[in-house]
Coordinates of all heavy atoms in Angstrom, one line a residue:
M1 N 132.3 -23.3 -8.0 CA 133.5 -23.8 -7.4 C 134.7 -22.9 -7.7 O 135.5 -22.7 -6.8 CB 133.7 -25.2 -7.8 CG 132.7 -26.2 -7.2 SD 132.9 -27.9 -7.8 CE 134.6 -28.3 -7.3
Q2 N 134.8 -22.5 -9.0 CA 135.9 -21.7 -9.4 C 135.9 -20.3 -8.6 O 136.9 -19.9 -8.2 CB 135.9 -21.4 -10.9 CG 136.2 -22.7 -11.7 CD 136.0 -22.4 -13.2 OE1 135.2 -21.6 -13.6 NE2 136.8 -23.2 -14.0
T3 N 134.7 -19.7 -8.5 CA 134.6 -18.4 -7.8 C 135.0 -18.5 -6.4 O 135.7 -17.6 -5.9 CB 133.1 -18.0 -7.9 OG1 132.7 -17.9 -9.3 CG2 132.9 -16.6 -7.2
R4 N 134.7 -19.6 -5.7 CA 135.0 -19.8 -4.3 C 136.4 -20.4 -4.1 O 136.8 -20.6 -3.0 CB 134.0 -20.6 -3.6 CG 132.6 -20.1 -3.7 CD 132.4 -19.0 -2.7 NE 131.0 -18.6 -2.7 CZ 130.5 -17.4 -2.3 NH1 131.4 -16.6 -1.8 NH2 129.3 -17.1 -2.4
G5 N 137.0 -20.9 -5.1 CA 138.3 -21.6 -5.0 C 138.2 -23.0 -4.4 O 139.2 -23.5 -3.9
A6 N 137.0 -23.6 -4.6 CA 136.9 -25.0 -4.1 C 137.5 -25.9 -5.0 O 137.4 -25.8 -6.2 CB 135.4 -25.2 -3.9
T7 N 138.2 -26.9 -4.4 CA 138.8 -28.0 -5.3 C 138.1 -29.3 -5.2 O 138.2 -30.1 -6.1 CB 140.3 -28.1 -4.9 OG1 140.4 -28.4 -3.5 CG2 141.1 -26.9 -5.2
A8 N 137.4 -29.5 -4.0 CA 136.7 -30.8 -3.9 C 135.2 -30.6 -4.4 O 134.6 -29.6 -4.2 CB 136.6 -31.2 -2.4
P9 N 134.7 -31.6 -5.1 CA 133.3 -31.5 -5.5 C 132.3 -31.5 -4.4 O 132.6 -32.1 -3.3 CB 133.2 -32.8 -6.4 CG 134.2 -33.7 -5.9 CD 135.3 -32.9 -5.4
F10 N 131.2 -30.9 -4.6 CA 130.1 -30.9 -3.7 C 129.2 -32.0 -4.0 O 128.6 -32.0 -5.2 CB 129.4 -29.5 -3.7 CG 128.2 -29.4 -2.9 CD1 128.3 -29.4 -1.5 CD2 126.9 -29.4 -3.4 CE1 127.1 -29.3 -0.7 CE2 125.8 -29.4 -2.7 CZ 125.9 -29.3 -1.3
R11 N 128.9 -32.9 -3.1 CA 128.0 -34.0 -3.4 C 127.0 -34.1 -2.2 O 127.4 -34.0 -1.0 CB 128.8 -35.3 -3.4 CG 129.8 -35.4 -4.6 CD 130.6 -36.6 -4.6 NE 131.5 -36.6 -5.7 CZ 132.7 -37.1 -5.7 NH1 133.2 -37.7 -4.6 NH2 133.5 -37.0 -6.7
F12 N 125.7 -34.2 -2.6 CA 124.7 -34.0 -1.6 C 123.4 -34.8 -1.9 O 123.0 -34.9 -3.0 CB 124.3 -32.5 -1.6 CG 123.2 -32.1 -0.7 CD1 123.5 -31.9 0.7 CD2 122.0 -31.8 -1.2 CE1 122.5 -31.5 1.5 CE2 121.0 -31.4 -0.3 CZ 121.2 -31.2 1.0
T13 N 122.9 -35.5 -0.9 CA 121.6 -36.1 -0.9 C 120.9 -35.8 0.4 O 121.6 -35.7 1.4 CB 121.6 -37.6 -1.1 OG1 122.3 -38.2 -0.1 CG2 122.1 -38.0 -2.5
A14 N 119.6 -35.5 0.3 CA 118.9 -35.2 1.6 C 117.4 -35.4 1.3 O 116.9 -35.4 0.2 CB 119.1 -33.8 2.0
C15 N 116.7 -35.7 2.4 CA 115.2 -35.8 2.4 C 114.7 -34.8 3.4 O 115.2 -34.8 4.5 CB 114.7 -37.2 2.8 SG 114.9 -38.4 1.5
L16 N 113.8 -34.0 3.0 CA 113.2 -33.0 3.9 C 111.7 -33.1 3.8 O 111.1 -33.4 2.8 CB 113.6 -31.6 3.4 CG 115.1 -31.3 3.1 CD1 115.3 -30.1 2.3 CD2 115.8 -31.2 4.4
S17 N 111.0 -32.9 5.0 CA 109.6 -32.9 5.0 C 109.0 -31.8 5.8 O 109.6 -31.4 6.8 CB 109.2 -34.3 5.6 OG 107.8 -34.3 5.8
N18 N 107.8 -31.4 5.5 CA 107.1 -30.4 6.2 C 105.9 -31.0 6.9 O 105.0 -30.3 7.4 CB 106.6 -29.2 5.3 CG 105.7 -29.6 4.3 OD1 105.2 -30.8 4.2 ND2 105.4 -28.7 3.4
G19 N 105.8 -32.3 6.9 CA 104.7 -33.0 7.5 C 103.6 -33.4 6.5 O 102.7 -34.2 6.8
N20 N 103.6 -32.7 5.4 CA 102.6 -32.9 4.3 C 103.2 -33.5 3.1 O 102.5 -34.1 2.3 CB 101.8 -31.6 4.0 CG 101.0 -31.2 5.1 OD1 100.2 -32.0 5.7 ND2 101.1 -29.9 5.5
S21 N 104.4 -33.2 2.8 CA 105.1 -33.7 1.6 C 106.6 -33.9 1.9 O 107.1 -33.5 3.0 CB 105.0 -32.7 0.5 OG 105.6 -31.4 0.9
I22 N 107.3 -34.6 1.0 CA 108.7 -34.9 1.2 C 109.4 -34.4 -0.1 O 108.9 -34.6 -1.2 CB 108.9 -36.4 1.3 CG1 108.3 -36.9 2.6 CG2 110.4 -36.7 1.3 CD1 108.4 -38.4 2.8
C23 N 110.6 -33.9 0.1 CA 111.4 -33.4 -1.0 C 112.8 -34.2 -0.8 O 113.4 -34.1 0.3 CB 111.6 -31.9 -0.9 SG 112.8 -31.3 -2.0
A24 N 113.2 -35.0 -1.8 CA 114.4 -35.7 -1.7 C 115.3 -35.2 -2.9 O 114.9 -35.1 -4.0 CB 114.2 -37.2 -1.9
I25 N 116.5 -34.8 -2.5 CA 117.4 -34.2 -3.5 C 118.7 -35.1 -3.7 O 119.3 -35.6 -2.8 CB 117.9 -32.8 -2.9 CG1 116.7 -31.9 -2.6 CG2 118.9 -32.1 -3.9 CD1 117.0 -30.8 -1.7
R26 N 119.1 -35.2 -5.0 CA 120.3 -35.8 -5.4 C 121.1 -34.9 -6.2 O 120.7 -34.6 -7.4 CB 120.0 -37.1 -6.2 CG 121.2 -37.9 -6.6 CD 120.9 -39.1 -7.3 NE 122.1 -39.8 -7.7 CZ 122.3 -40.5 -8.8 NH1 121.4 -40.6 -9.7 NH2 123.5 -41.1 -9.0
H27 N 122.2 -34.4 -5.7 CA 122.9 -33.3 -6.4 C 124.4 -33.5 -6.3 O 124.9 -33.9 -5.2 CB 122.5 -32.0 -5.9 CG 123.1 -30.8 -6.7 ND1 122.6 -30.4 -7.9 CD2 124.2 -30.1 -6.4 CE1 123.4 -29.4 -8.3 NE2 124.3 -29.2 -7.5
A28 N 125.2 -33.1 -7.3 CA 126.7 -33.0 -7.2 C 127.2 -32.0 -8.2 O 126.6 -31.8 -9.2 CB 127.3 -34.4 -7.5
S29 N 128.3 -31.4 -7.8 CA 128.9 -30.4 -8.7 C 129.7 -31.1 -9.8 O 130.2 -30.5 -10.8 CB 129.7 -29.4 -8.0 OG 130.8 -30.1 -7.3
D30 N 130.0 -32.4 -9.6 CA 130.7 -33.2 -10.6 C 129.7 -34.3 -11.1 O 128.5 -34.2 -10.9 CB 132.0 -33.8 -10.1 CG 131.7 -34.8 -8.9 OD1 130.6 -35.1 -8.6 OD2 132.7 -35.3 -8.4
D31 N 130.2 -35.3 -11.8 CA 129.3 -36.3 -12.4 C 129.1 -37.5 -11.5 O 128.8 -38.6 -11.9 CB 129.8 -36.7 -13.8 CG 131.1 -37.4 -13.7 OD1 131.8 -37.3 -12.7 OD2 131.5 -37.9 -14.8
K32 N 129.4 -37.4 -10.1 CA 129.3 -38.5 -9.2 C 128.5 -38.2 -8.0 O 128.9 -38.3 -6.9 CB 130.7 -38.9 -8.8 CG 131.6 -39.4 -9.9 CD 133.0 -39.6 -9.5 CE 133.8 -39.9 -10.7 NZ 135.2 -39.7 -10.5
P33 N 127.2 -38.0 -8.2 CA 126.3 -37.7 -7.0 C 126.1 -39.0 -6.2 O 126.1 -40.1 -6.8 CB 125.0 -37.2 -7.6 CG 125.0 -37.9 -9.0 CD 126.4 -37.9 -9.4
P34 N 125.9 -38.8 -4.9 CA 125.5 -40.0 -4.1 C 124.2 -40.6 -4.6 O 123.4 -39.9 -5.2 CB 125.3 -39.4 -2.7 CG 126.0 -38.1 -2.7 CD 126.0 -37.6 -4.1
S35 N 124.1 -41.9 -4.4 CA 122.9 -42.6 -4.9 C 121.6 -42.2 -4.1 O 121.7 -41.9 -2.9 CB 123.1 -44.1 -5.0 OG 123.3 -44.6 -3.7
L36 N 120.5 -42.3 -4.8 CA 119.2 -42.1 -4.1 C 118.1 -42.8 -4.9 O 118.1 -42.7 -6.2 CB 118.9 -40.6 -4.1 CG 117.7 -40.2 -3.3 CD1 117.8 -40.5 -1.8 CD2 117.4 -38.7 -3.4
Y37 N 117.4 -43.7 -4.3 CA 116.4 -44.5 -4.9 C 115.0 -44.4 -4.3 O 114.9 -44.0 -3.1 CB 116.8 -46.0 -4.8 CG 118.0 -46.4 -5.6 CD1 119.3 -46.2 -5.1 CD2 117.9 -46.9 -6.9 CE1 120.4 -46.5 -5.8 CE2 119.0 -47.2 -7.6 CZ 120.3 -47.0 -7.0 OH 121.4 -47.4 -7.8
W38 N 114.0 -44.7 -5.0 CA 112.6 -44.7 -4.5 C 111.8 -45.8 -5.1 O 112.1 -46.3 -6.2 CB 112.0 -43.3 -4.7 CG 111.6 -43.0 -6.1 CD1 112.4 -42.5 -7.1 CD2 110.3 -43.2 -6.7 NE1 111.7 -42.4 -8.2 CE2 110.4 -42.8 -8.0 CE3 109.1 -43.6 -6.2 CZ2 109.4 -42.8 -8.9 CZ3 108.0 -43.6 -7.1 CH2 108.2 -43.2 -8.4
R39 N 110.7 -46.1 -4.5 CA 109.7 -47.0 -5.1 C 108.4 -46.8 -4.3 O 108.3 -46.4 -3.2 CB 110.1 -48.5 -5.0 CG 109.9 -49.2 -3.7 CD 110.2 -50.7 -3.9 NE 110.3 -51.3 -2.6 CZ 110.8 -52.5 -2.4 NH1 111.4 -53.1 -3.4 NH2 110.8 -53.0 -1.2
K40 N 107.3 -47.2 -5.1 CA 105.9 -47.1 -4.5 C 105.5 -48.6 -4.3 O 105.7 -49.4 -5.1 CB 105.0 -46.5 -5.5 CG 104.1 -45.5 -5.0 CD 103.2 -44.9 -6.1 CE 102.7 -43.6 -5.7 NZ 101.8 -43.0 -6.6
R41 N 105.1 -48.8 -3.0 CA 104.7 -50.2 -2.7 C 103.6 -50.2 -1.6 O 103.7 -49.4 -0.6 CB 105.8 -51.0 -2.2 CG 105.4 -52.4 -1.7 CD 106.5 -53.3 -1.5 NE 106.9 -53.8 -2.8 CZ 107.9 -54.7 -3.0 NH1 108.6 -55.0 -1.9 NH2 108.2 -55.1 -4.2
N42 N 102.5 -50.9 -1.8 CA 101.4 -51.0 -0.8 C 100.9 -49.7 -0.4 O 100.6 -49.4 0.8 CB 101.9 -51.8 0.4 CG 102.3 -53.2 0.0 OD1 101.7 -53.9 -0.9 ND2 103.3 -53.7 0.7
G43 N 100.8 -48.7 -1.4 CA 100.2 -47.4 -1.0 C 101.2 -46.5 -0.3 O 100.8 -45.4 0.2
H44 N 102.5 -46.8 -0.3 CA 103.5 -46.0 0.4 C 104.6 -45.7 -0.6 O 104.9 -46.5 -1.5 CB 104.1 -46.7 1.6 CG 103.0 -46.9 2.7 ND1 102.2 -48.0 2.7 CD2 102.7 -46.1 3.7 CE1 101.4 -47.9 3.8 NE2 101.7 -46.7 4.4
V45 N 105.4 -44.6 -0.3 CA 106.6 -44.3 -1.1 C 107.7 -44.5 -0.2 O 107.8 -43.9 0.9 CB 106.5 -42.9 -1.7 CG1 107.8 -42.5 -2.4 CG2 105.3 -42.7 -2.7
I46 N 108.7 -45.2 -0.6 CA 110.0 -45.5 0.2 C 111.1 -44.8 -0.5 O 111.3 -45.0 -1.8 CB 110.2 -47.0 0.3 CG1 109.0 -47.7 1.0 CG2 111.5 -47.2 1.2 CD1 109.1 -49.2 0.8
I47 N 111.9 -44.0 0.2 CA 113.1 -43.3 -0.4 C 114.3 -43.8 0.4 O 114.3 -43.7 1.6 CB 112.9 -41.8 -0.3 CG1 111.7 -41.3 -1.0 CG2 114.2 -41.1 -0.8 CD1 111.3 -39.9 -0.7
V48 N 115.3 -44.3 -0.3 CA 116.5 -44.9 0.4 C 117.8 -44.5 -0.4 O 117.7 -44.1 -1.6 CB 116.4 -46.4 0.4 CG1 115.3 -46.8 1.3 CG2 116.3 -47.0 -0.9
S49 N 118.9 -44.6 0.3 CA 120.2 -44.3 -0.4 C 120.6 -45.5 -1.3 O 121.3 -45.3 -2.3 CB 121.3 -44.0 0.6 OG 121.5 -45.1 1.5
E50 N 120.2 -46.7 -0.9 CA 120.5 -47.9 -1.6 C 119.3 -48.8 -1.6 O 118.7 -48.9 -0.5 CB 121.8 -48.6 -1.1 CG 123.1 -47.9 -1.2 CD 123.5 -47.7 -2.6 OE1 123.2 -48.6 -3.5 OE2 124.2 -46.7 -2.9
P51 N 119.0 -49.6 -2.6 CA 117.9 -50.5 -2.6 C 118.0 -51.5 -1.3 O 119.1 -51.9 -1.0 CB 118.0 -51.3 -3.9 CG 118.7 -50.4 -4.8 CD 119.7 -49.6 -3.9
L52 N 116.9 -51.7 -0.7 CA 116.8 -52.5 0.5 C 116.8 -54.0 0.2 O 117.0 -54.8 1.2 CB 115.6 -52.1 1.3 CG 115.6 -50.7 1.8 CD1 114.3 -50.4 2.5 CD2 116.7 -50.5 2.8
D53 N 116.4 -54.4 -1.0 CA 116.3 -55.9 -1.3 C 116.7 -56.1 -2.7 O 117.2 -55.3 -3.4 CB 114.8 -56.3 -1.0 CG 113.8 -55.4 -1.8 OD1 114.1 -55.1 -2.9 OD2 112.8 -55.1 -1.2
M54 N 116.6 -57.4 -3.1 CA 117.0 -57.8 -4.4 C 116.1 -57.5 -5.5 O 116.3 -57.9 -6.7 CB 117.4 -59.3 -4.4 CG 118.4 -59.7 -3.3 SD 120.0 -58.7 -3.6 CE 120.6 -59.5 -5.0
E55 N 114.9 -56.9 -5.2 CA 113.9 -56.6 -6.2 C 114.4 -55.3 -7.0 O 113.7 -54.3 -6.9 CB 112.6 -56.4 -5.6 CG 112.0 -57.6 -5.0 CD 110.7 -57.4 -4.3 OE1 109.9 -56.6 -4.7 OE2 110.5 -58.1 -3.3
S56 N 115.5 -55.4 -7.7 CA 116.1 -54.2 -8.3 C 115.2 -53.5 -9.3 O 115.3 -52.3 -9.5 CB 117.4 -54.6 -8.9 OG 117.2 -55.5 -9.9
E57 N 114.3 -54.3 -9.9 CA 113.4 -53.7 -10.9 C 112.4 -52.7 -10.4 O 111.9 -51.8 -11.0 CB 112.7 -54.8 -11.8 CG 113.7 -55.5 -12.6 CD 113.1 -56.6 -13.4 OE1 111.8 -56.7 -13.5 OE2 113.8 -57.4 -14.0
S58 N 112.1 -52.9 -9.1 CA 111.0 -52.1 -8.5 C 111.6 -50.8 -7.9 O 110.9 -49.8 -7.7 CB 110.3 -52.8 -7.3 OG 111.2 -53.0 -6.2
W59 N 112.9 -50.7 -7.8 CA 113.6 -49.4 -7.3 C 113.9 -48.5 -8.5 O 114.4 -49.0 -9.5 CB 114.9 -49.7 -6.6 CG 114.6 -50.4 -5.3 CD1 114.8 -51.8 -5.0 CD2 114.1 -49.8 -4.1 NE1 114.4 -52.0 -3.7 CE2 114.0 -50.9 -3.1 CE3 113.8 -48.5 -3.7 CZ2 113.6 -50.6 -1.8 CZ3 113.4 -48.3 -2.4 CH2 113.3 -49.3 -1.5
K60 N 113.6 -47.2 -8.4 CA 113.9 -46.3 -9.4 C 115.0 -45.3 -8.9 O 114.8 -44.7 -7.8 CB 112.7 -45.5 -9.8 CG 111.6 -46.4 -10.4 CD 110.4 -45.7 -10.7 CE 109.3 -46.7 -11.2 NZ 108.0 -46.3 -10.9
A61 N 116.0 -45.1 -9.6 CA 117.1 -44.1 -9.2 C 116.6 -42.7 -9.5 O 116.0 -42.4 -10.6 CB 118.4 -44.4 -10.0
V62 N 116.7 -41.8 -8.6 CA 116.5 -40.4 -8.8 C 117.6 -39.9 -9.8 O 118.8 -40.2 -9.5 CB 116.5 -39.6 -7.5 CG1 116.4 -38.1 -7.8 CG2 115.4 -40.1 -6.6
A63 N 117.3 -39.3 -10.8 CA 118.2 -38.8 -11.8 C 119.2 -37.8 -11.2 O 118.9 -37.1 -10.2 CB 117.5 -38.2 -13.0
Q64 N 120.4 -37.8 -11.7 CA 121.5 -36.9 -11.2 C 121.0 -35.5 -11.3 O 120.4 -35.1 -12.3 CB 122.7 -37.1 -12.1 CG 123.9 -36.2 -11.7 CD 125.1 -36.5 -12.6 OE1 125.3 -37.6 -13.0 NE2 125.9 -35.6 -12.8
N65 N 121.2 -34.7 -10.2 CA 120.8 -33.3 -10.1 C 119.3 -33.1 -10.3 O 118.9 -32.2 -11.0 CB 121.7 -32.5 -11.1 CG 123.1 -32.5 -10.8 OD1 123.5 -32.7 -9.6 ND2 124.0 -32.4 -11.8
H66 N 118.6 -34.0 -9.7 CA 117.1 -33.9 -9.7 C 116.6 -33.9 -8.3 O 117.2 -34.4 -7.3 CB 116.5 -35.1 -10.5 CG 116.4 -34.8 -11.9 ND1 117.6 -34.7 -12.7 CD2 115.4 -34.7 -12.8 CE1 117.2 -34.5 -14.0 NE2 115.9 -34.5 -14.0
T67 N 115.3 -33.4 -8.1 CA 114.6 -33.4 -6.9 C 113.3 -34.3 -7.0 O 112.6 -34.1 -8.0 CB 114.2 -32.0 -6.5 OG1 115.5 -31.2 -6.4 CG2 113.5 -32.0 -5.1
L68 N 113.1 -35.1 -6.1 CA 111.9 -35.9 -6.0 C 110.9 -35.3 -5.1 O 111.3 -35.0 -3.9 CB 112.3 -37.4 -5.6 CG 111.2 -38.4 -5.6 CD1 111.0 -38.9 -7.0 CD2 111.6 -39.6 -4.7
H69 N 109.7 -35.1 -5.5 CA 108.6 -34.5 -4.6 C 107.6 -35.6 -4.4 O 107.1 -36.2 -5.4 CB 108.0 -33.3 -5.3 CG 108.9 -32.2 -5.6 ND1 109.3 -31.3 -4.6 CD2 109.6 -31.9 -6.7 CE1 110.2 -30.4 -5.2 NE2 110.4 -30.8 -6.4
V70 N 107.2 -35.8 -3.2 CA 106.1 -36.8 -2.8 C 105.1 -36.0 -2.0 O 105.4 -35.5 -1.0 CB 106.7 -38.0 -2.0 CG1 105.5 -39.0 -1.7 CG2 107.8 -38.7 -2.7
G71 N 103.9 -36.0 -2.6 CA 102.8 -35.2 -2.0 C 102.1 -36.1 -0.9 O 102.3 -37.3 -0.8
R72 N 101.2 -35.5 -0.2 CA 100.4 -36.1 0.8 C 99.6 -37.3 0.2 O 99.3 -38.3 0.9 CB 99.5 -35.1 1.5 CG 98.7 -35.7 2.7 CD 97.9 -34.6 3.4 NE 97.6 -35.0 4.7 CZ 98.3 -34.6 5.8 NH1 99.2 -33.7 5.7 NH2 98.0 -35.1 7.0
D73 N 99.2 -37.1 -1.1 CA 98.4 -38.2 -1.8 C 99.3 -39.3 -2.4 O 98.9 -40.1 -3.1 CB 97.6 -37.5 -2.9 CG 98.5 -36.8 -3.9 OD1 99.7 -36.7 -3.7 OD2 97.9 -36.2 -4.8
F74 N 100.7 -39.2 -2.0 CA 101.7 -40.1 -2.5 C 101.9 -40.0 -4.0 O 102.4 -40.9 -4.6 CB 101.4 -41.6 -2.1 CG 101.3 -41.8 -0.6 CD1 100.1 -42.0 0.0 CD2 102.5 -41.7 0.1 CE1 100.0 -42.1 1.4 CE2 102.4 -41.9 1.5 CZ 101.2 -42.1 2.1
N75 N 101.5 -38.9 -4.6 CA 101.9 -38.6 -6.0 C 103.4 -38.3 -6.0 O 103.9 -37.5 -5.2 CB 101.0 -37.4 -6.4 CG 100.5 -37.6 -7.8 OD1 100.6 -38.7 -8.4 ND2 99.8 -36.6 -8.3
V76 N 104.1 -38.8 -7.0 CA 105.5 -38.7 -7.1 C 105.8 -37.9 -8.3 O 105.3 -38.1 -9.4 CB 106.2 -40.0 -7.1 CG1 107.7 -39.8 -7.3 CG2 105.9 -40.8 -5.9
C77 N 106.7 -36.9 -8.2 CA 107.1 -36.0 -9.3 C 108.6 -35.8 -9.2 O 109.1 -35.5 -8.1 CB 106.4 -34.7 -9.2 SG 107.0 -33.4 -10.4
E78 N 109.3 -36.0 -10.3 CA 110.8 -35.7 -10.3 C 111.1 -34.6 -11.3 O 110.6 -34.6 -12.4 CB 111.5 -37.0 -10.7 CG 113.0 -36.9 -10.6 CD 113.7 -38.3 -10.9 OE1 113.1 -39.3 -10.6 OE2 114.8 -38.2 -11.4
E79 N 111.9 -33.7 -10.8 CA 112.3 -32.6 -11.7 C 113.7 -32.1 -11.5 O 114.2 -32.3 -10.4 CB 111.3 -31.4 -11.6 CG 111.2 -30.9 -10.2 CD 110.1 -29.9 -10.0 OE1 109.1 -29.9 -10.8 OE2 110.1 -29.1 -9.1
P80 N 114.3 -31.5 -12.4 CA 115.7 -31.0 -12.3 C 115.8 -30.0 -11.1 O 114.9 -29.2 -10.9 CB 116.1 -30.3 -13.6 CG 115.1 -30.8 -14.5 CD 113.8 -31.1 -13.8
T81 N 116.9 -30.0 -10.4 CA 117.2 -29.0 -9.4 C 117.6 -27.7 -10.1 O 118.0 -27.7 -11.3 CB 118.3 -29.4 -8.4 OG1 119.4 -29.8 -9.1 CG2 117.8 -30.6 -7.5
I82 N 117.6 -26.6 -9.4 CA 118.0 -25.4 -9.9 C 119.5 -25.4 -10.2 O 120.3 -25.7 -9.3 CB 117.6 -24.2 -9.0 CG1 116.1 -24.1 -8.8 CG2 118.2 -22.9 -9.5 CD1 115.7 -23.2 -7.7
S83 N 119.9 -25.0 -11.4 CA 121.3 -24.9 -11.7 C 121.9 -23.7 -11.0 O 121.4 -22.6 -10.9 CB 121.4 -24.7 -13.2 OG 122.8 -24.3 -13.5
T84 N 123.1 -24.0 -10.4 CA 123.8 -22.9 -9.7 C 124.3 -21.9 -10.7 O 124.6 -20.7 -10.3 CB 125.1 -23.5 -8.9 OG1 125.9 -24.2 -9.8 CG2 124.6 -24.4 -7.8
N85 N 124.4 -22.2 -12.0 CA 124.8 -21.3 -13.0 C 123.7 -20.2 -13.2 O 124.0 -19.1 -13.7 CB 125.1 -22.0 -14.3 CG 126.3 -22.9 -14.2 OD1 127.2 -22.7 -13.4 ND2 126.4 -23.9 -15.0
S86 N 122.5 -20.6 -13.0 CA 121.4 -19.6 -13.2 C 121.0 -18.9 -12.0 O 120.1 -18.0 -12.0 CB 120.2 -20.3 -13.8 OG 119.7 -21.2 -12.8
W87 N 121.6 -19.1 -10.8 CA 121.3 -18.5 -9.6 C 122.2 -17.4 -9.3 O 123.5 -17.5 -9.3 CB 121.3 -19.5 -8.4 CG 120.8 -19.0 -7.1 CD1 119.6 -18.5 -6.8 CD2 121.6 -18.9 -5.9 NE1 119.5 -18.2 -5.5 CE2 120.7 -18.4 -4.9 CE3 122.9 -19.3 -5.6 CZ2 121.2 -18.2 -3.6 CZ3 123.3 -19.0 -4.3 CH2 122.4 -18.5 -3.3
N88 N 121.7 -16.2 -9.0 CA 122.6 -15.0 -8.7 C 122.7 -14.7 -7.3 O 123.2 -13.6 -6.9 CB 122.1 -13.8 -9.5 CG 122.2 -14.0 -11.0 OD1 123.1 -14.6 -11.5 ND2 121.2 -13.6 -11.7
G89 N 122.2 -15.5 -6.4 CA 122.3 -15.3 -5.0 C 123.7 -15.5 -4.4 O 124.6 -15.9 -5.1
V90 N 123.8 -15.2 -3.1 CA 125.1 -15.3 -2.5 C 125.0 -16.4 -1.4 O 124.0 -16.4 -0.6 CB 125.5 -14.0 -1.8 CG1 126.8 -14.2 -1.0 CG2 125.7 -12.9 -2.8
A91 N 125.8 -17.4 -1.4 CA 125.8 -18.5 -0.4 C 126.4 -18.1 0.9 O 127.2 -17.2 1.0 CB 126.5 -19.7 -1.0

């Protein structure tokens, strides 16, 4: 942000799929990323911006600056997103 002179924080959530797997991202350049939740139910994985019902214990928040991967077998894996500090590419 300093390099580009940006003053507003970058906040981002998205779900992407290639037809075989899903990648859901929760990221922000400050400490206020948009919310992103998921749960496994009846053999399916549901990903939402906010829990859909009052069963709050069944919903899991994707950690700040993490990516959720859901495979064709509905296996769920969550891992940190790539830090912009360690990336030398050009946007």
Side-chain angles (χ1 to χ4, degrees):
M1 289 176 60
Q2 290 174 331
T3 302
R4 303 277 186 204
T7 57
F10 174 73
R11 297 178 182 142
F12 179 77
T13 58
C15 283
L16 309 163
S17 176
N18 63 6
N20 291 310
S21 62
I22 295 174
C23 175
I25 303 164
R26 180 179 183 217
H27 185 80
S29 61
D30 62 5
D31 63 348
K32 298 175 184 157
S35 60
L36 189 63
Y37 293 84
W38 72 278
R39 78 174 172 197
K40 229 178 198 184
R41 174 168 281 180
N42 300 325
H44 295 86
V45 176
I46 304 166
I47 302 169
V48 296
S49 60
E50 294 293 331
L52 297 172
D53 54 38
M54 300 305 287
E55 297 177 32
S56 59
E57 292 178 12
S58 67
W59 292 102
K60 297 175 183 152
V62 174
Q64 179 175 334
N65 298 332
H66 275 65
T67 301
L68 186 76
H69 301 277
V70 182
R72 185 176 203 102
D73 58 359
F74 299 107
N75 224 6
V76 179
C77 172
E78 186 175 329
E79 58 190 22
T81 54
I82 298 170
S83 168
T84 55
N85 294 334
S86 65
W87 185 62
N88 294 322
V90 177

